[in-house]
Amino acid sequence: MGPGGRSGPRSGQGDAEGAVSASTAAAASCRYKCIECSQEARELYRDYNHGVLKLSICTSCQKPVDKYIEYDPVIILINAVLCKAQAYRHILFNTKINMHRKLYIFCLLCEAYLRWWQLQDSNQNTDPDDFIRYAKEWDFYRMFAIASLEQAAFFTGIFTFLWVGRLMTAKKQPSFILLLKALLLSSYGKLLLIPAVIWEHDYTPLCLRLIKVFVLTSHFQAIRVTLNINRKLSFLAILSGLLLESTMVYFFQRVEWHLGSDYASYKYQDF
């Protein structure tokens, strides 16, 4: 047999490879999502000459795929604060935001600072000795470590519940990396802890409870939008995270670690 007889692939194999490559290309092109129905979309808009943009229309709900691309960032932020699912889908799926790690670390620093400030306020000491200042500095590091461990327990509880739920329902594996990014971004409510310290010298526990409820609501919406699941499963995932986090707090209390005065005691009183 001459070399020409083996030069090309078989027709069946070529068709299969072509179908696989076509499906892969289609999946790669659908990298956006409709903010209304969460349907995948290939593009958000079409750019015509002279900067004329035309929004793409979703093939499922017949609405613009992402109307927020024409909105001012301040309007998008306000809608995100109001916990609108459309704003969350726009931020998570249709934008390239890579500040979730820095934002979350800053949120942990805010929480650690609040706990440290409460601890110093409850233990007033005017001794200017360097050893006292050194001990206070390590108190802040300790508060940061405790806050980090509690948040790790909270996220672990959420991921464990969702993983077990996937095994029980035999559904496809959710994107835990995207979910982690969504949870980190939705922790922005902890930034309100700093104004609570600055503007309210004698702040009430109600302020801290409202901040906690707002952060949990943001996490709830992030889970529901990212995984496209119902409210019941999102609520149960939040409860699972709170249960494991409360267990971590109880452990710290058993070993007699100071968690930061009023904030730790009021943090889980209502849950």
Side-chain angles (χ1 to χ4, degrees):
M1 182 181 293
R6 295 184 298 175
S7 59
R10 297 179 181 179
S11 59
Q13 183 180 0
D15 295 340
E17 292 179 354
V20 171
S21 61
S23 61
T24 304
S29 61
C30 296
R31 54 194 181 95
Y32 302 109
K33 283 193 175 183
C34 175
I35 64 172
E36 301 292 341
C37 63
S38 194
Q39 180 70 25
E40 293 184 349
R42 295 185 178 181
E43 58 184 3
L44 301 178
Y45 60 89
R46 291 187 178 181
D47 189 0
Y48 295 94
N49 294 332
H50 307 292
V52 178
L53 302 180
K54 181 179 179 181
L55 297 180
S56 300
I57 302 300
C58 178
T59 57
S60 178
C61 63
Q62 301 302 318
K63 295 181 180 179
V65 174
D66 192 346
K67 62 182 180 180
Y68 284 112
I69 60 176
E70 294 184 334
Y71 283 29
D72 188 86
V74 177
I75 303 299
I76 300 175
L77 178 60
I78 293 175
N79 282 266
V81 171
L82 295 176
C83 294
K84 289 189 176 181
Q86 294 84 349
Y88 274 73
R89 292 191 182 101
H90 167 78
I91 295 174
L92 294 175
F93 299 117
N94 300 336
T95 59
K96 297 180 180 179
I97 298 181
N98 296 320
M99 57 175 296
H100 50 282
R101 296 185 184 91
K102 296 180 180 178
L103 176 62
Y104 187 70
I105 292 176
F106 188 71
C107 291
L108 285 179
L109 289 173
C110 292
E111 184 171 352
Y113 174 77
L114 176 62
R115 296 187 180 196
W116 175 82
W117 183 83
Q118 291 176 331
L119 185 63
Q120 303 308 315
D121 186 65
S122 60
N123 299 323
Q124 292 292 339
N125 195 329
T126 58
D127 191 347
D129 191 272
D130 291 337
F131 177 77
I132 299 299
R133 291 197 295 267
Y134 180 76
K136 290 182 178 181
E137 181 180 352
W138 276 104
D139 282 339
F140 176 78
Y141 297 148
R142 182 163 56 89
M143 293 301 117
F144 182 82
I146 292 175
S148 301
L149 290 175
E150 290 178 4
Q151 282 300 303
F154 177 71
F155 290 159
T156 302
I158 292 177
F159 290 141
T160 302
F161 173 82
L162 295 174
W163 181 74
V164 173
R166 179 186 65 87
L167 294 179
M168 295 178 61
T169 58
K171 292 185 177 180
K172 63 178 182 179
Q173 182 177 1
S175 178
F176 286 124
I177 297 179
L178 181 60
L179 177 59
L180 179 60
K181 178 182 177 180
L183 290 174
L184 295 180
L185 287 175
S186 59
S187 300
Y188 67 92
K190 292 186 178 181
L191 299 177
L192 298 174
L193 294 174
I194 294 300
V197 174
I198 296 176
W199 294 336
E200 292 288 343
H201 298 285
D202 296 325
Y203 54 86
T204 61
L206 178 61
C207 178
L208 300 179
R209 292 173 182 171
L210 291 177
I211 293 176
K212 181 63 178 180
V213 170
F214 177 74
V215 173
L216 290 178
T217 304
S218 300
H219 288 328
F220 168 82
Q221 195 70 294
I223 296 173
R224 192 172 72 89
V225 167
T226 304
L227 303 182
N228 197 23
I229 58 179
N230 55 44
R231 292 181 174 86
K232 180 180 179 180
L233 290 178
S234 300
F235 181 73
L236 291 177
I238 293 294
L239 287 182
S240 300
L242 283 175
L243 179 60
L244 189 57
E245 188 179 5
S246 301
T247 304
M248 182 70 69
V249 173
Y250 178 75
F251 169 76
F252 288 148
Q253 292 176 346
R254 293 286 294 179
V255 297
E256 297 182 353
W257 279 24
H258 295 290
L259 302 182
S261 187
D262 296 334
Y263 183 66
S265 60
Y266 287 113
K267 191 174 181 181
Y268 306 100
Q269 187 172 351
D270 295 337
F271 300 100

